[in-house]
Amino acid sequence: MLKQVHFGPSYIPYLLVTPQILITLVFFIWPAGHALYQSLLIEDAFGLSSEFVWFENFEVLFADEHYLGTFKRTIFFSVLVASISMGFSLILAAMADRVIKAAMVYRTLLIWPYAVAPVVAGALWVFMFDPTLGILTYGLSMFGYDWNHKLNGNEAMALVIIAAAWKQVAYNFLFFLAAMQSIPKSLIEAAAIDGAGPVRRFATIVFPLISPTTFFLLVVNIVYAFFDTFGIVHTITQGGPAKATEILVYKVYNDGFVGLDLGGSAAQSVVLMAIVIALTVIQFRYIEKTVEYS
Amino acid sequence: MKLLNTILAVALSGFAASTMAATEVQWWHAMGGVNGERVNKIADDFNASQADYKIVPSYKGNYTETMTAAIAAFRAKEQPHIVQVFEVGTATMMAAKGAVYPVEQVMKDAGEPFDKSIFLPAVISYYQTSEGELLSMPFNSSTPVLWYNNDAFKKAGVESPPKTWDDMKDASEKLVAAGYKCGFSFGWQSWVMIENYSSWHDLAVGTKENGFTGTDTNFTFNNDHVKARIGSIADWSKDNLFKYGGRRGDSLSMYTTGECGMWMNSSAYYGSVKKQAEFDFGQTMLPVDTDVRAEAQNSIIGGATLWVLRGGEDSEYKGVAKFMTYLSSPEVQAWWHQETGYVPITTPAYELSKTQGFYDANPGTDTAIKQLSLNTPTANSRGIRFGNFVQIRDVINEEMEAIWNGSKTAAQGLDDAAERGDTLLRKFDRANK
C-alpha cells in the first residue's frame, strides 16, 4: 500500500508550462489561425480592399489543373526522396554496423551532411551541375551527355531529388545505426552459428527488428520532402523549368510572396497544414500502436 | 505566414534603431553587391550636402523580396518613405491608391521645383497615369541590347554585328560552323522576347494600350508575328543556333565564357560583362524582324523606380522631395549611368556624359539610350501595365521553357501563356475593385 501524499493547489505547474504555451500560441496557433482566416479572403497586396468569399479560394485551387499537377509531382518527389535516402542510408548503416576499425571516423563523416543547411546543399549541387560551368556537367559531356537542367524538366527533377535525398541520408543513417546497435548481439550470433550469412541475417533478423525505426523514418522523411525541401528547390531550380520541379510548398511561396495572391497562397497553406496533421495522426495513432517493439 | 511575421519583425527592429538628429528618411532598395555600395554613396553624398535630412538606405533583398517587405511593412504600419520597385510591380503599386503618394504630388506639396520635361519620354511614360501624372521617380532603368563577341565574329567570319533577325541566323550559323557551342542566347525572356520584341516592332502586348487605359485588358502577345519568331528560334535550337540558358541573367556565363557568340539582355550587364569577358565585347541595337516592319520603333525599359509610401510626417516628405531633386541632378545621374550601364534618365545627364567623352571612350554604351529614344513612343511602345505581372512573367517563362524543350509548339505555348495570363488579370481585377 502506497502512502498517500497530498499536495495543495499550486501555481508552480502552470507557471512552468506558461512559456511553452505562450510560444505555441504566438508562433504556431496565432499564425495558423491567421492563415485560416486569410484563406477565406480575396485581398489586394496592401490589404486596402478585402472581400470575404468563404471557400472560393479553395474552389479555384482544386479546379486548377496546375495545382493538381503540383500535387502529383509532390507525391512523386516525396516518395522518391524518402525511398532513395532511406534505402541508401540503410545500406550504409548496415555496413557501418559491421565496421570494427575506425568506426567513429566513418560515422562522423556520414553524419556531416546533416549539418549542411538546405540552401547551402542546394548551392553545392548547383555548382556541380551548372550547365555551363559545372564540373559534373563537364564530366558528363565527356561521355557525350549534354546536361542542362535549366531546359530539361526530368534532369531538373532528378537533380532536386538527389540533392534532397543526399541531405537526409545522414539523419536516416543515424537512426538506422542506433536501431541496429540496439539489437541484442546474441540473436545475430545465434543465427551466425546456425550458418546464416550476413545477407540472410540482415533480411531475417535485423530488418524486421528495426521496423519501428523504419516506419518512424518513413513519416519523418515524407514530412521532410513535403516541407523542408523549399531551400533546395529555391536554390537549384526555383520550380522550373516549366513547373517541372514546383512542389506544393514552393507554390505557396511563389503565389504568396512573388505573386502577392495572399488568399490563394493561404488556402494552399491550409491544405498543407491538413496534410501534416494527417501525417502526424497516422504516426501517433497507427504506427506507434501497430508496430511491435522488441 | 510564418515568413511574413519574420519579415515584420525584422522591419520593426530596423525602425527601433533610428535616432533623432536630422529628419530621417528611410529608403528600402534592392541593389546588392557593387550597386548597393553605389546606392550608399549617393545617400552619403546627399547627407553630406545638407544638414536637415538624413537618407537611410537599407538593402532588402532582390526586387521581389524588397517589394514584399515593403508591402508587409505597410500592413504593419511600419513602411519606409521610399521603396524601390521593379517595373513589373507598377500596376500593383498604382492600384494601391491609399498607400502610394505620387511623386509629382510629393514635389508639389513640398514646394520643390520639378521640371518633368527633362526626363526621357521613354522612361517616364512607363510610370505616368493616363492623365500624365508622374507616379514614381525613375531611378535605375535599362533596356535589352544585343551583346556580341567581336573575337568570335572575326574567327567565324561575321563581318558586322547583326541588324536583322535574318542576320542573326546567318551569324549564328557561321559561329556554330566555326566550332562555337551556340550562336546566341538571351535572358529575362518575357521582357526581351515578348515585351521588347513587341514594342520594337510596334505590336501590342495586350489590349487597352497595353493596360495603360484600364485593367480590363487581355493579352494579345500570342499574335502571328510573335508566334512565327519564337517558332523559328525554337527550330534553330535544334542546330544550336540558339541555346536556352535559364531565367533572368542565368545565361550570362554562356556569353562571357565564349560559349555563345551573342547574347540579348539588359544594357545594365555592362559592369558584369566588362569584368568577366576576356574578349573584345560590344553592344548594338536589337535585331529588327523585317517580316514585321522595315524599321524598329523603340524599345521599352526595365529596372526600377522609387515609390513614395504614405503614412509619414510632412517634414519627412520635404526631405523625400529634396532627395528626389538631388537624385535626378545631371551629375548624380551621369555618374550612376557611367558606373552601372543603366540609362541616364534625364536629357541633361545624357548631354553631360557626352561632353565628358564617356561614349567616345566606351563605344556602344549609348546603345540603350539610342534604342529608347529612337522614335516617339506609340501606344504599343510606351510600356506595359498589367496587374499580377510578376506572376504572369513566371507563366510566360514556364510556357516558353516548354517551347524550348520541345514539349509544346510555339503557337500552343503562347496561346496557353496568354490564356493563363488572362486568368491572372481577371484575378487582379477582382482583388482591386
Side-chain angles (χ1 to χ4, degrees), chain B residues 352-371:
Chain B
L352 183 63
S353 297
K354 270 190 203 160
T355 52
Q356 288 171 341
F358 177 70
Y359 304 118
D360 298 329
N362 303 278
T365 45
D366 54 352
T367 307
I369 193 164
K370 279 186 182 156
Q371 269 187 190

Side-chain angles (χ1 to χ4, degrees), chain A residues 126 130-133 148-151 234-238 240-241, chain B residues 185-189 243-257 259 263-265 269 276 397 401:
Chain A
V126 164
D130 186 279
T132 311
L133 309 165
N148 189 352
H149 66 264
K150 285 178 178 161
L151 187 58
H234 193 51
T235 35
I236 299 182
T237 61
Q238 283 109 51
Chain B
S185 189
F186 44 69
W188 286 101
Q189 51 186 346
K243 202 168 166 189
Y244 179 64
R247 299 180 186 184
R248 290 176 294 274
D250 286 6
S251 47
L252 171 67
S253 59
M254 292 166 80
Y255 171 64
T256 54
T257 55
E259 202 170 291
W263 190 55
M264 283 188 274
N265 212 339
Y269 281 99
Q276 293 174 21
N397 270 324
E401 279 167 350

Side-chain angles (χ1 to χ4, degrees), chain B residues 37-96:
Chain B
E37 288 162 26
R38 291 176 183 139
V39 161
N40 289 339
K41 182 180 150 47
I42 292 177
D44 289 345
D45 290 353
F46 172 75
N47 293 339
S49 73
Q50 45 76 51
D52 298 338
Y53 305 103
K54 185 169 178 241
I55 292 282
V56 185
S58 337
Y59 173 61
K60 291 286 165 186
N62 65 30
Y63 283 137
T64 317
E65 287 159 358
T66 303
M67 185 168 162
T68 314
I71 288 172
F74 182 84
R75 296 177 74 117
K77 301 196 171 33
E78 296 290 350
Q79 66 273 32
H81 304 95
I82 307 173
V83 59
Q84 183 188 17
V85 175
F86 57 167
E87 86 283 3
V88 289
T90 304
T92 305
M93 298 300 288
M94 276 188 71

Side-chain angles (χ1 to χ4, degrees), chain B residues 263-285:
Chain B
W263 190 55
M264 283 188 274
N265 212 339
S266 166
S267 59
Y269 281 99
Y270 178 66
S272 308
V273 171
K274 196 173 170 182
K275 201 162 132 196
Q276 293 174 21
E278 289 171 354
F279 51 79
D280 177 19
F281 64 86
Q283 47 176 317
T284 185
M285 289 203 196

Side-chain angles (χ1 to χ4, degrees), chain A residues 5 13 17 69 86 97 99 110 127-128 149 152 179 203 246 255 288:
Chain A
V5 179
V17 295
M86 285 175 68
D97 193 29
V99 166
L110 283 166
F127 281 130
M128 288 191 286
H149 66 264
N152 185 319
E246 188 184 69
D255 289 1
E288 298 265 315

Side-chain angles (χ1 to χ4, degrees), chain B residues 23-25 53 79-82 99 101 106-107 109-110 112 308-324:
Chain B
T23 306
E24 289 210 348
V25 174
Y53 305 103
Q79 66 273 32
H81 304 95
I82 307 173
Y101 197 166
V106 173
M107 303 304 263
D109 292 350
E112 187 73 18
V308 183
L309 297 180
R310 287 187 189 273
E313 303 292 327
D314 283 350
S315 59
E316 291 162 353
Y317 291 115
K318 283 216 164 67
V320 170
K322 289 254 181 276
F323 179 62
M324 293 297 181

